[in-house]
């Protein structure tokens, strides 16, 4: 398993410190509000679990699972909702938690889709972002790390469903295209 893994881009310690820092900001920003955390499955599960345990405010959880429509999504950014939210988010304070923003098309689509449901507020918290390949502008209020345009795995992120359980974020030796 290990020999497919390349260099470590973000260590376990760096992630832990950043998660605490982000959770502190979020706890302050939402201290008088009822926060609904929306995790994007599957990649965000680990970040969401750790982040939420550092929050000092009451929170509720929901999840959405999406998948790209193959080649069509490369140009249009249309994503297929595999599992929709259970909560009605109208009037709620929603914070979307995502593992990585690559082109940004997935989140761009979700933001538009969620806005139609009229949440009171809607913000993004992403562990990783690859600014070099981002194709749409997104207001990422809470960002962990900006990384180079490389395919990465670990801490929730997979390559063919593997490596999600690594404690750090690392590149893959196997070349995988990133940015669409
Ligand atoms: P975007 O729509 O191009 O921003 O892609 C976002 C989604 O693609 C993420 O939610 C991930 O599921 C996946 N993805 C993008 N880059 C990586 C990566 O480096 N490793 C693993 N998954 C990735
Ligand atoms: Mg994802």
């Amino acid at each position: 398993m290990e020999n497919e893994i390349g260099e470590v881009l973000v260590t376990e310690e760096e992630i832990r410190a950043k998660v605490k820092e982000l959770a502190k900001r979020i706890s302050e920003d939402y201290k008088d509000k009822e926060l609904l955390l929306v995790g994007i499955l599957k990649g965000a599960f680990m970040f969401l679990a750790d982040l939420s345990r550092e929050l000092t405010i009451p929170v509720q959880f929901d999840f959405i699972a999406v998948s790209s429509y193959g080649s069509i999504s490369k140009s249009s950014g249309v994503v297929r909702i595999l599992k929709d939210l259970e909560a009605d988010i109208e009037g709620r304070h929603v914070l979307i938690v995502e593992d990585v923003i690559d082109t940004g098309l997935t989140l761009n689509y979700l933001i538009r889709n969620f806005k139609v449901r009229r949440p009171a507020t809607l913000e993004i918290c992403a562990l990783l972002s690859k600014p070099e390949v981002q194709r749409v502008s997104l207001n990422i209020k809470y960002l962990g790390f900006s990384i180079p345009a490389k395919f990465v795995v670990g801490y929730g992120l997979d390559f063919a469903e593997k490596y999600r359980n690594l404690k750090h974020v690392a590149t893959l030796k196997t070349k995988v295209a990133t940015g669409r």
Side-chain angles (χ1 to χ4, degrees):
M1 162 172 158
E2 291 301 327
N3 49 9
E4 208 179 4
I5 305 294
E7 62 172 315
V8 176
L9 283 190
V10 193
T11 67
E12 188 184 349
E13 290 71 29
E14 287 169 331
I15 293 171
R16 196 178 303 132
K18 186 64 77 176
V19 162
K20 281 192 178 158
E21 183 191 315
L22 291 173
K24 191 163 180 256
R25 280 179 54 203
I26 294 167
S27 298
E28 282 163 12
D29 293 351
Y30 290 90
K31 64 174 183 286
D32 302 318
K33 302 192 173 95
E34 276 191 26
L35 178 58
L36 178 67
L37 293 171
V38 170
I40 305 183
L41 295 173
K42 302 172 193 169
F45 81 97
M46 198 169 286
F47 179 42
L48 179 62
D50 285 346
L51 182 75
S52 63
R53 277 178 289 189
E54 295 295 336
L55 294 173
T56 55
I57 52 168
V59 287
Q60 293 183 22
F61 295 83
D62 205 347
F63 296 91
I64 188 164
V66 296
S67 108
S68 300
Y69 260 122
S71 57
I72 302 165
S73 71
K74 291 180 185 178
S75 49
S76 68
V78 172
V79 301
R80 188 156 56 109
I81 294 179
L82 303 175
K83 181 222 169 290
D84 204 350
L85 299 175
E86 287 170 18
D88 177 0
I89 60 171
E90 185 172 352
R92 309 280 307 269
H93 296 283
V94 177
L95 179 60
I96 300 178
V97 181
E98 172 64 311
D99 53 359
V100 57
I101 297 168
D102 192 79
T103 61
L105 291 172
T106 303
L107 264 184
N108 191 49
Y109 174 86
L110 281 183
I111 291 283
R112 284 160 185 262
N113 181 297
F114 282 16
K115 274 189 178 161
V116 176
R117 312 183 197 197
R118 303 172 55 150
T121 61
L122 183 61
E123 300 291 351
I124 299 169
C125 177
L127 178 70
L128 306 169
S129 161
K130 303 177 192 172
E132 290 162 41
V133 284
Q134 199 173 315
R135 283 176 35 184
V136 286
S137 84
L138 288 168
N139 177 20
I140 312 168
K141 186 158 187 190
Y142 308 98
L143 175 64
F145 305 91
S146 288
I147 59 167
K150 291 179 177 169
F151 195 88
V152 293
V153 294
Y155 201 69
L157 292 106
D158 75 306
F159 171 57
E161 294 302 325
K162 291 183 292 183
Y163 312 124
R164 291 193 196 273
N165 60 322
L166 296 180
K167 294 178 179 177
H168 52 263
V169 173
T171 60
L172 265 195
K173 281 184 192 156
T174 326
K175 279 241 168 73
V176 181
T178 186
R180 292 186 261 203

